[in-house]
Amino acid sequence: MITAPESKTKSLATAPSKSEWKLPKLVTELPGPHAKRVLEADAKFMSPSYTRDYPLVAKRGRGAVVEDVDGNMFMDFAAGIAVCSTGHCHPQVVAAIQEQAGELIHMSGTDFYYENMPRLAEKLAATVPGPEAKKVFFTNSGTEAVEGAIKLARYATKRDKFIAFYGCFHGRSMGSLSLTASKSTQRKGFGALLSGVEHIPYPYAYRCAHGHTADTCGAEILEQLEGQIFKRLFDPEEVAGIIIEPIQGEGGYVPAPDFFLQELQRICRQHGIMFIVDEVQSGMGRTGQWWACEKSGIEPDTLSRAMSAPSGMPLGALIARESVMNWKPGSHGTTFGGNPVCIAAGLATFDLIESEYRENARLLGEYIFQKIANWTDKFKIVGDIRGRGLMVGIEIVRDQKTKEKAPDLRNQIVDRAFYHGLCILGAGENSLRLSPPLMIDRQQADAALAILEKCIQEAEAQA
């Protein structure tokens, strides 16, 4: 176990001042005494299916900083798995939640009307690329949005087959899990999943077997789809949908080339297949645009989103072209999706992203990529740097020439970062992911990168 840096003990009686909600500050060993008691209770009562990378026991958060139950303060460059887009407890979001909670908490938007549901839906629909009008179905999560996309594709096409990509993560409920191909442990032990699903490779330029660049990788995959899958497995007239993440999230923050997404859309249009884009992790301003797919100039038939939209409240959405979302009343529903409190948080979050944080994500993303551009030269274990905006992937390898994956070194870096006051997560087998709140500033970016650089140096020294 890595030990925490030397630090002084702090009284828990006083909450951090406003100036303290900026940078890391460690005041106990990690985990501290209160955190240890929580960890013991968690091990006794909680499902062992949860995955935890390090012993952070969060108590409260402000902006890009989280305080644990012992008073230690961490810079959060995971943002609750890219959820807390406006930072923790943004005053405008908190005020919207509090106001709505005092008026109405729940009635069920499936059976009754809420004034703010179409208001937020109109705002979201206007951001999705393409000239056709869009309609919105609200969910509780990303996996529910994907489940809705599966049902809608079957309903609209009267077909039942789907094609997804290796490395993709679309959720853990049974339908979305059938599309997910991220880690075998996510599927192991659950028996037969949804039938009629086939997976094909994702364009992964750094490991492209044909030596393509990040702009050209994937032509052979499209040939495989049309020349093999459609001829030997699924007739295209039986395929309801093809689903893709424009930037793979759990798969390692791997962007798909523009031409690949464009050609995939062409193939879908040619055969009447629903083109489903999953932007659960890449959407709502994280890349510096509303949606990662905007860069490619495509118009998805359906787009699934969640996570960042309500700044941590459980709200997702399935957004589809009006001509596609034509199912009848009762065809699909939800008890809690579009809950009034979550919608209020979503409206406040939307306004913040639209007015300032989307642009901040673009600018700070450019700044971070400039700062780490030389890390593949500086560190022998950094194999690739990729992503867009505040969606940054850093692939850790044993050797740059062989590109041997080094998941142990990646895990060590994630662990070390925690003990230096920085929260990050892994992605894929051996990549680091940085997905901070969209409101970070240069001082926080510099502090996080300094910690991360130190952790990479330490891991490399022991490699």
Side-chain angles (χ1 to χ4, degrees), residues 234-285:
F234 298 156
D235 187 292
E237 293 185 359
E238 292 187 316
V239 178
I242 297 178
I243 184 168
I244 189 170
E245 296 171 279
I247 302 177
Q248 280 199 339
E250 300 295 316
Y253 277 26
V254 184
D258 292 342
F259 93 92
F260 188 87
L261 295 173
Q262 293 162 3
E263 280 297 291
L264 206 58
Q265 177 175 270
R266 178 193 63 78
I267 292 169
C268 287
R269 296 285 192 269
Q270 178 183 342
H271 298 289
I273 299 169
M274 291 293 101
F275 184 34
I276 305 168
V277 172
D278 182 343
E279 295 236 24
V280 169
Q281 194 158 164
S282 62
M284 292 299 291

Short mmCIF file of all heavy atoms in Angstrom, two decimals, residues 234-285:
data_model
loop_
_atom_site.label_atom_id
_atom_site.label_comp_id
_atom_site.label_asym_id
_atom_site.label_seq_id
_atom_site.Cartn_x
_atom_site.Cartn_y
_atom_site.Cartn_z
N PHE A 234 -25.72 -11.36 -41.02
CA PHE A 234 -27.00 -10.64 -41.00
C PHE A 234 -27.24 -9.98 -42.36
O PHE A 234 -26.43 -9.17 -42.79
CB PHE A 234 -27.00 -9.53 -39.93
CG PHE A 234 -26.85 -10.00 -38.52
CD1 PHE A 234 -26.34 -9.14 -37.56
CD2 PHE A 234 -27.21 -11.27 -38.13
CE1 PHE A 234 -26.20 -9.53 -36.25
CE2 PHE A 234 -27.07 -11.69 -36.82
CZ PHE A 234 -26.55 -10.82 -35.87
N ASP A 235 -28.34 -10.31 -42.98
CA ASP A 235 -28.74 -9.51 -44.14
C ASP A 235 -29.05 -8.10 -43.62
O ASP A 235 -29.73 -7.95 -42.60
CB ASP A 235 -30.00 -10.12 -44.77
CG ASP A 235 -30.37 -9.42 -46.07
OD1 ASP A 235 -30.77 -8.24 -46.00
OD2 ASP A 235 -30.28 -10.05 -47.13
N PRO A 236 -28.57 -7.05 -44.27
CA PRO A 236 -28.78 -5.70 -43.76
C PRO A 236 -30.26 -5.35 -43.57
O PRO A 236 -30.60 -4.50 -42.74
CB PRO A 236 -28.11 -4.80 -44.81
CG PRO A 236 -27.98 -5.64 -46.02
CD PRO A 236 -27.79 -7.03 -45.53
N GLU A 237 -31.15 -6.03 -44.32
CA GLU A 237 -32.58 -5.75 -44.18
C GLU A 237 -33.17 -6.33 -42.90
O GLU A 237 -34.34 -6.09 -42.59
CB GLU A 237 -33.32 -6.30 -45.40
CG GLU A 237 -32.98 -5.57 -46.69
CD GLU A 237 -33.82 -6.04 -47.86
OE1 GLU A 237 -34.64 -6.96 -47.67
OE2 GLU A 237 -33.65 -5.49 -48.96
N GLU A 238 -32.33 -7.09 -42.14
CA GLU A 238 -32.76 -7.60 -40.84
C GLU A 238 -32.16 -6.82 -39.68
O GLU A 238 -32.48 -7.08 -38.53
CB GLU A 238 -32.37 -9.07 -40.70
CG GLU A 238 -33.13 -10.02 -41.63
CD GLU A 238 -32.82 -11.47 -41.33
OE1 GLU A 238 -31.63 -11.80 -41.12
OE2 GLU A 238 -33.77 -12.27 -41.28
N VAL A 239 -31.28 -5.86 -39.97
CA VAL A 239 -30.58 -5.12 -38.93
C VAL A 239 -31.40 -3.90 -38.53
O VAL A 239 -31.69 -3.02 -39.35
CB VAL A 239 -29.18 -4.69 -39.39
CG1 VAL A 239 -28.49 -3.87 -38.30
CG2 VAL A 239 -28.34 -5.92 -39.74
N ALA A 240 -31.77 -3.84 -37.26
CA ALA A 240 -32.55 -2.71 -36.75
C ALA A 240 -31.68 -1.50 -36.50
O ALA A 240 -32.07 -0.36 -36.78
CB ALA A 240 -33.27 -3.11 -35.47
N GLY A 241 -30.47 -1.72 -35.92
CA GLY A 241 -29.64 -0.58 -35.58
C GLY A 241 -28.17 -0.91 -35.47
O GLY A 241 -27.78 -2.04 -35.18
N ILE A 242 -27.35 0.09 -35.73
CA ILE A 242 -25.91 0.05 -35.46
C ILE A 242 -25.64 1.14 -34.44
O ILE A 242 -26.01 2.30 -34.64
CB ILE A 242 -25.09 0.29 -36.73
CG1 ILE A 242 -25.34 -0.83 -37.76
CG2 ILE A 242 -23.60 0.37 -36.39
CD1 ILE A 242 -24.60 -0.63 -39.07
N ILE A 243 -25.02 0.76 -33.33
CA ILE A 243 -24.78 1.71 -32.24
C ILE A 243 -23.29 1.92 -32.06
O ILE A 243 -22.50 0.97 -32.10
CB ILE A 243 -25.44 1.23 -30.93
CG1 ILE A 243 -25.26 2.28 -29.83
CG2 ILE A 243 -24.91 -0.13 -30.49
CD1 ILE A 243 -26.11 2.02 -28.59
N ILE A 244 -22.89 3.18 -31.85
CA ILE A 244 -21.48 3.50 -31.69
C ILE A 244 -21.32 4.69 -30.75
O ILE A 244 -22.18 5.57 -30.68
CB ILE A 244 -20.82 3.82 -33.05
CG1 ILE A 244 -19.30 3.93 -32.91
CG2 ILE A 244 -21.42 5.08 -33.68
CD1 ILE A 244 -18.56 3.99 -34.23
N GLU A 245 -20.23 4.68 -29.98
CA GLU A 245 -19.79 5.84 -29.23
C GLU A 245 -18.83 6.63 -30.13
O GLU A 245 -17.82 6.07 -30.57
CB GLU A 245 -19.05 5.43 -27.97
CG GLU A 245 -19.87 4.68 -26.94
CD GLU A 245 -19.00 4.13 -25.84
OE1 GLU A 245 -18.38 3.07 -26.04
OE2 GLU A 245 -18.92 4.75 -24.77
N PRO A 246 -19.09 7.90 -30.42
CA PRO A 246 -18.15 8.66 -31.26
C PRO A 246 -16.77 8.79 -30.62
O PRO A 246 -15.77 8.89 -31.32
CB PRO A 246 -18.83 10.02 -31.43
CG PRO A 246 -19.85 10.09 -30.35
CD PRO A 246 -20.26 8.69 -30.05
N ILE A 247 -16.74 8.79 -29.30
CA ILE A 247 -15.48 8.64 -28.55
C ILE A 247 -15.76 7.57 -27.50
O ILE A 247 -16.60 7.77 -26.61
CB ILE A 247 -15.04 9.94 -27.87
CG1 ILE A 247 -14.86 11.06 -28.90
CG2 ILE A 247 -13.74 9.72 -27.10
CD1 ILE A 247 -14.48 12.41 -28.29
N GLN A 248 -15.08 6.44 -27.60
CA GLN A 248 -15.33 5.38 -26.61
C GLN A 248 -14.94 5.88 -25.22
O GLN A 248 -13.88 6.45 -25.03
CB GLN A 248 -14.54 4.12 -26.95
CG GLN A 248 -15.19 3.29 -28.03
CD GLN A 248 -14.69 1.85 -28.04
OE1 GLN A 248 -13.62 1.54 -27.53
NE2 GLN A 248 -15.48 0.98 -28.65
N GLY A 249 -15.82 5.64 -24.26
CA GLY A 249 -15.57 6.07 -22.89
C GLY A 249 -14.81 5.03 -22.11
O GLY A 249 -13.60 5.11 -21.95
N GLU A 250 -15.53 4.01 -21.64
CA GLU A 250 -14.88 2.94 -20.87
C GLU A 250 -13.83 2.21 -21.70
O GLU A 250 -12.93 1.58 -21.16
CB GLU A 250 -15.94 1.94 -20.39
CG GLU A 250 -17.01 2.52 -19.49
CD GLU A 250 -16.44 3.01 -18.18
OE1 GLU A 250 -15.62 2.31 -17.57
OE2 GLU A 250 -16.85 4.11 -17.76
N GLY A 251 -13.94 2.28 -23.01
CA GLY A 251 -13.00 1.60 -23.89
C GLY A 251 -11.63 2.23 -23.96
O GLY A 251 -10.71 1.67 -24.55
N GLY A 252 -11.47 3.43 -23.38
CA GLY A 252 -10.14 4.04 -23.36
C GLY A 252 -10.07 5.45 -23.91
O GLY A 252 -8.99 5.93 -24.22
N TYR A 253 -11.21 6.13 -24.04
CA TYR A 253 -11.25 7.49 -24.60
C TYR A 253 -10.64 7.51 -26.01
O TYR A 253 -9.72 8.27 -26.31
CB TYR A 253 -10.55 8.48 -23.68
CG TYR A 253 -11.46 8.97 -22.55
CD1 TYR A 253 -12.52 8.19 -22.10
CD2 TYR A 253 -11.27 10.20 -21.95
CE1 TYR A 253 -13.37 8.63 -21.09
CE2 TYR A 253 -12.12 10.65 -20.94
CZ TYR A 253 -13.17 9.86 -20.52
OH TYR A 253 -14.02 10.28 -19.53
N VAL A 254 -11.18 6.65 -26.84
CA VAL A 254 -10.68 6.48 -28.22
C VAL A 254 -11.66 7.15 -29.18
O VAL A 254 -12.81 6.73 -29.30
CB VAL A 254 -10.55 4.99 -28.58
CG1 VAL A 254 -9.96 4.84 -29.98
CG2 VAL A 254 -9.71 4.26 -27.55
N PRO A 255 -11.24 8.19 -29.92
CA PRO A 255 -12.14 8.85 -30.87
C PRO A 255 -12.23 8.08 -32.18
O PRO A 255 -11.24 7.55 -32.69
CB PRO A 255 -11.49 10.23 -31.10
CG PRO A 255 -10.39 10.34 -30.08
CD PRO A 255 -9.99 8.94 -29.75
N ALA A 256 -13.42 8.02 -32.75
CA ALA A 256 -13.60 7.46 -34.09
C ALA A 256 -13.32 8.54 -35.12
O ALA A 256 -13.71 9.70 -34.92
CB ALA A 256 -15.02 6.94 -34.26
N PRO A 257 -12.65 8.21 -36.23
CA PRO A 257 -12.39 9.21 -37.27
C PRO A 257 -13.68 9.76 -37.86
O PRO A 257 -14.70 9.05 -37.92
CB PRO A 257 -11.59 8.43 -38.32
CG PRO A 257 -11.03 7.25 -37.60
CD PRO A 257 -12.03 6.91 -36.54
N ASP A 258 -13.64 10.99 -38.33
CA ASP A 258 -14.83 11.61 -38.93
C ASP A 258 -15.36 10.79 -40.10
O ASP A 258 -16.56 10.56 -40.22
CB ASP A 258 -14.49 13.03 -39.39
CG ASP A 258 -14.21 13.97 -38.22
OD1 ASP A 258 -14.60 13.64 -37.09
OD2 ASP A 258 -13.60 15.03 -38.46
N PHE A 259 -14.45 10.36 -40.98
CA PHE A 259 -14.90 9.64 -42.17
C PHE A 259 -15.60 8.34 -41.79
O PHE A 259 -16.53 7.90 -42.48
CB PHE A 259 -13.72 9.34 -43.12
CG PHE A 259 -13.08 8.00 -42.90
CD1 PHE A 259 -13.49 6.88 -43.61
CD2 PHE A 259 -12.08 7.84 -41.95
CE1 PHE A 259 -12.92 5.64 -43.40
CE2 PHE A 259 -11.49 6.61 -41.73
CZ PHE A 259 -11.91 5.50 -42.46
N PHE A 260 -15.14 7.72 -40.69
CA PHE A 260 -15.73 6.44 -40.27
C PHE A 260 -17.18 6.64 -39.86
O PHE A 260 -18.06 5.86 -40.26
CB PHE A 260 -14.91 5.86 -39.12
CG PHE A 260 -15.32 4.47 -38.72
CD1 PHE A 260 -14.76 3.38 -39.36
CD2 PHE A 260 -16.25 4.25 -37.72
CE1 PHE A 260 -15.14 2.08 -39.02
CE2 PHE A 260 -16.63 2.97 -37.37
CZ PHE A 260 -16.07 1.88 -38.02
N LEU A 261 -17.45 7.68 -39.08
CA LEU A 261 -18.81 7.95 -38.66
C LEU A 261 -19.68 8.35 -39.86
O LEU A 261 -20.85 7.95 -39.94
CB LEU A 261 -18.82 9.06 -37.61
CG LEU A 261 -18.14 8.72 -36.27
CD1 LEU A 261 -18.07 9.94 -35.37
CD2 LEU A 261 -18.88 7.59 -35.56
N GLN A 262 -19.10 9.10 -40.77
CA GLN A 262 -19.84 9.50 -41.97
C GLN A 262 -20.21 8.30 -42.83
O GLN A 262 -21.34 8.19 -43.32
CB GLN A 262 -19.01 10.50 -42.77
CG GLN A 262 -18.81 11.84 -42.07
CD GLN A 262 -17.66 12.65 -42.64
OE1 GLN A 262 -17.02 12.23 -43.63
NE2 GLN A 262 -17.37 13.79 -42.05
N GLU A 263 -19.27 7.39 -43.00
CA GLU A 263 -19.52 6.19 -43.81
C GLU A 263 -20.50 5.25 -43.11
O GLU A 263 -21.34 4.62 -43.76
CB GLU A 263 -18.21 5.46 -44.10
CG GLU A 263 -17.40 6.07 -45.22
CD GLU A 263 -18.17 6.00 -46.53
OE1 GLU A 263 -18.35 4.88 -47.06
OE2 GLU A 263 -18.60 7.06 -47.02
N LEU A 264 -20.40 5.19 -41.79
CA LEU A 264 -21.34 4.36 -41.04
C LEU A 264 -22.77 4.90 -41.21
O LEU A 264 -23.71 4.12 -41.39
CB LEU A 264 -20.94 4.36 -39.56
CG LEU A 264 -21.35 3.14 -38.72
CD1 LEU A 264 -20.80 1.86 -39.31
CD2 LEU A 264 -20.87 3.33 -37.29
N GLN A 265 -22.90 6.21 -41.20
CA GLN A 265 -24.22 6.80 -41.42
C GLN A 265 -24.71 6.50 -42.84
O GLN A 265 -25.89 6.18 -43.05
CB GLN A 265 -24.18 8.31 -41.20
CG GLN A 265 -25.51 9.00 -41.50
CD GLN A 265 -25.49 10.47 -41.16
OE1 GLN A 265 -25.80 10.87 -40.06
NE2 GLN A 265 -25.10 11.30 -42.13
N ARG A 266 -23.81 6.58 -43.81
CA ARG A 266 -24.20 6.29 -45.20
C ARG A 266 -24.72 4.86 -45.33
O ARG A 266 -25.75 4.61 -45.98
CB ARG A 266 -23.00 6.49 -46.14
CG ARG A 266 -23.31 6.15 -47.60
CD ARG A 266 -22.06 6.05 -48.43
NE ARG A 266 -21.16 4.97 -48.00
CZ ARG A 266 -21.34 3.70 -48.29
NH1 ARG A 266 -22.42 3.29 -48.97
NH2 ARG A 266 -20.47 2.79 -47.88
N ILE A 267 -24.01 3.92 -44.70
CA ILE A 267 -24.42 2.52 -44.76
C ILE A 267 -25.79 2.34 -44.11
O ILE A 267 -26.65 1.63 -44.64
CB ILE A 267 -23.35 1.64 -44.07
CG1 ILE A 267 -22.06 1.63 -44.89
CG2 ILE A 267 -23.87 0.21 -43.87
CD1 ILE A 267 -20.88 1.02 -44.16
N CYS A 268 -25.98 2.98 -42.97
CA CYS A 268 -27.28 2.88 -42.29
C CYS A 268 -28.41 3.44 -43.16
O CYS A 268 -29.47 2.83 -43.30
CB CYS A 268 -27.23 3.60 -40.95
SG CYS A 268 -26.26 2.75 -39.68
N ARG A 269 -28.18 4.61 -43.72
CA ARG A 269 -29.21 5.23 -44.56
C ARG A 269 -29.51 4.35 -45.79
O ARG A 269 -30.67 4.21 -46.20
CB ARG A 269 -28.75 6.61 -45.01
CG ARG A 269 -28.57 7.62 -43.90
CD ARG A 269 -29.89 8.15 -43.37
NE ARG A 269 -29.66 9.31 -42.52
CZ ARG A 269 -29.47 9.28 -41.22
NH1 ARG A 269 -29.47 8.11 -40.58
NH2 ARG A 269 -29.28 10.38 -40.51
N GLN A 270 -28.48 3.77 -46.35
CA GLN A 270 -28.64 2.95 -47.55
C GLN A 270 -29.56 1.75 -47.29
O GLN A 270 -30.35 1.37 -48.15
CB GLN A 270 -27.27 2.47 -48.04
CG GLN A 270 -27.34 1.55 -49.25
CD GLN A 270 -25.96 1.05 -49.65
OE1 GLN A 270 -24.93 1.61 -49.26
NE2 GLN A 270 -25.91 -0.02 -50.44
N HIS A 271 -29.44 1.18 -46.09
CA HIS A 271 -30.17 -0.06 -45.79
C HIS A 271 -31.34 0.14 -44.83
O HIS A 271 -31.93 -0.85 -44.38
CB HIS A 271 -29.20 -1.09 -45.21
CG HIS A 271 -28.11 -1.49 -46.15
ND1 HIS A 271 -28.33 -2.26 -47.27
CD2 HIS A 271 -26.76 -1.21 -46.14
CE1 HIS A 271 -27.19 -2.46 -47.91
NE2 HIS A 271 -26.22 -1.83 -47.24
N GLY A 272 -31.67 1.37 -44.50
CA GLY A 272 -32.79 1.61 -43.60
C GLY A 272 -32.52 1.18 -42.17
O GLY A 272 -33.44 0.81 -41.44
N ILE A 273 -31.25 1.22 -41.76
CA ILE A 273 -30.83 0.82 -40.41
C ILE A 273 -30.79 2.07 -39.52
O ILE A 273 -30.33 3.13 -39.96
CB ILE A 273 -29.44 0.16 -40.46
CG1 ILE A 273 -29.49 -1.11 -41.31
CG2 ILE A 273 -28.93 -0.15 -39.06
CD1 ILE A 273 -28.11 -1.68 -41.64
N MET A 274 -31.26 1.95 -38.29
CA MET A 274 -31.17 3.07 -37.36
C MET A 274 -29.72 3.31 -36.96
O MET A 274 -29.03 2.39 -36.50
CB MET A 274 -32.00 2.79 -36.10
CG MET A 274 -33.51 2.77 -36.29
SD MET A 274 -34.22 4.36 -36.73
CE MET A 274 -34.43 4.12 -38.51
N PHE A 275 -29.25 4.54 -37.13
CA PHE A 275 -27.91 4.94 -36.75
C PHE A 275 -27.99 5.53 -35.34
O PHE A 275 -28.48 6.64 -35.15
CB PHE A 275 -27.36 5.96 -37.75
CG PHE A 275 -25.93 6.36 -37.51
CD1 PHE A 275 -25.01 5.46 -37.01
CD2 PHE A 275 -25.50 7.65 -37.81
CE1 PHE A 275 -23.69 5.82 -36.81
CE2 PHE A 275 -24.19 8.03 -37.61
CZ PHE A 275 -23.28 7.12 -37.11
N ILE A 276 -27.53 4.74 -34.35
CA ILE A 276 -27.68 5.09 -32.94
C ILE A 276 -26.33 5.56 -32.39
O ILE A 276 -25.34 4.83 -32.43
CB ILE A 276 -28.16 3.87 -32.12
CG1 ILE A 276 -29.46 3.31 -32.73
CG2 ILE A 276 -28.36 4.26 -30.67
CD1 ILE A 276 -29.85 1.95 -32.18
N VAL A 277 -26.30 6.77 -31.88
CA VAL A 277 -25.08 7.33 -31.31
C VAL A 277 -25.23 7.42 -29.79
O VAL A 277 -26.20 7.99 -29.29
CB VAL A 277 -24.79 8.73 -31.91
CG1 VAL A 277 -23.63 9.39 -31.18
CG2 VAL A 277 -24.46 8.61 -33.40
N ASP A 278 -24.29 6.83 -29.09
CA ASP A 278 -24.27 6.82 -27.63
C ASP A 278 -23.31 7.90 -27.14
O ASP A 278 -22.10 7.76 -27.26
CB ASP A 278 -23.84 5.44 -27.12
CG ASP A 278 -23.85 5.34 -25.59
OD1 ASP A 278 -23.87 6.39 -24.92
OD2 ASP A 278 -23.81 4.22 -25.08
N GLU A 279 -23.86 8.99 -26.61
CA GLU A 279 -23.04 10.08 -26.09
C GLU A 279 -23.25 10.24 -24.59
O GLU A 279 -23.22 11.34 -24.05
CB GLU A 279 -23.37 11.38 -26.82
CG GLU A 279 -23.01 11.36 -28.30
CD GLU A 279 -22.09 12.50 -28.70
OE1 GLU A 279 -21.37 13.02 -27.82
OE2 GLU A 279 -22.09 12.84 -29.89
N VAL A 280 -23.46 9.12 -23.92
CA VAL A 280 -23.67 9.15 -22.48
C VAL A 280 -22.47 9.78 -21.77
O VAL A 280 -22.63 10.54 -20.81
CB VAL A 280 -23.94 7.73 -21.94
CG1 VAL A 280 -23.89 7.71 -20.42
CG2 VAL A 280 -25.31 7.24 -22.43
N GLN A 281 -21.27 9.52 -22.24
CA GLN A 281 -20.08 10.06 -21.59
C GLN A 281 -19.47 11.25 -22.33
O GLN A 281 -18.86 12.12 -21.72
CB GLN A 281 -19.01 8.97 -21.40
CG GLN A 281 -17.92 9.37 -20.44
CD GLN A 281 -17.16 8.20 -19.83
OE1 GLN A 281 -16.08 8.39 -19.28
NE2 GLN A 281 -17.70 7.01 -19.90
N SER A 282 -19.65 11.32 -23.63
CA SER A 282 -18.98 12.35 -24.43
C SER A 282 -19.83 13.58 -24.69
O SER A 282 -19.34 14.57 -25.22
CB SER A 282 -18.53 11.76 -25.77
OG SER A 282 -19.65 11.31 -26.52
N GLY A 283 -21.12 13.54 -24.31
CA GLY A 283 -22.02 14.61 -24.68
C GLY A 283 -22.11 15.76 -23.72
O GLY A 283 -21.40 15.83 -22.71
N MET A 284 -22.96 16.71 -24.05
CA MET A 284 -23.31 17.87 -23.23
C MET A 284 -22.10 18.75 -22.89
O MET A 284 -21.85 19.09 -21.74
CB MET A 284 -24.02 17.44 -21.95
CG MET A 284 -25.41 16.85 -22.19
SD MET A 284 -26.55 18.01 -22.97
CE MET A 284 -26.82 19.19 -21.68
N GLY A 285 -21.33 19.09 -23.92
CA GLY A 285 -20.27 20.08 -23.77
C GLY A 285 -18.91 19.57 -23.40
O GLY A 285 -17.93 20.33 -23.41
#
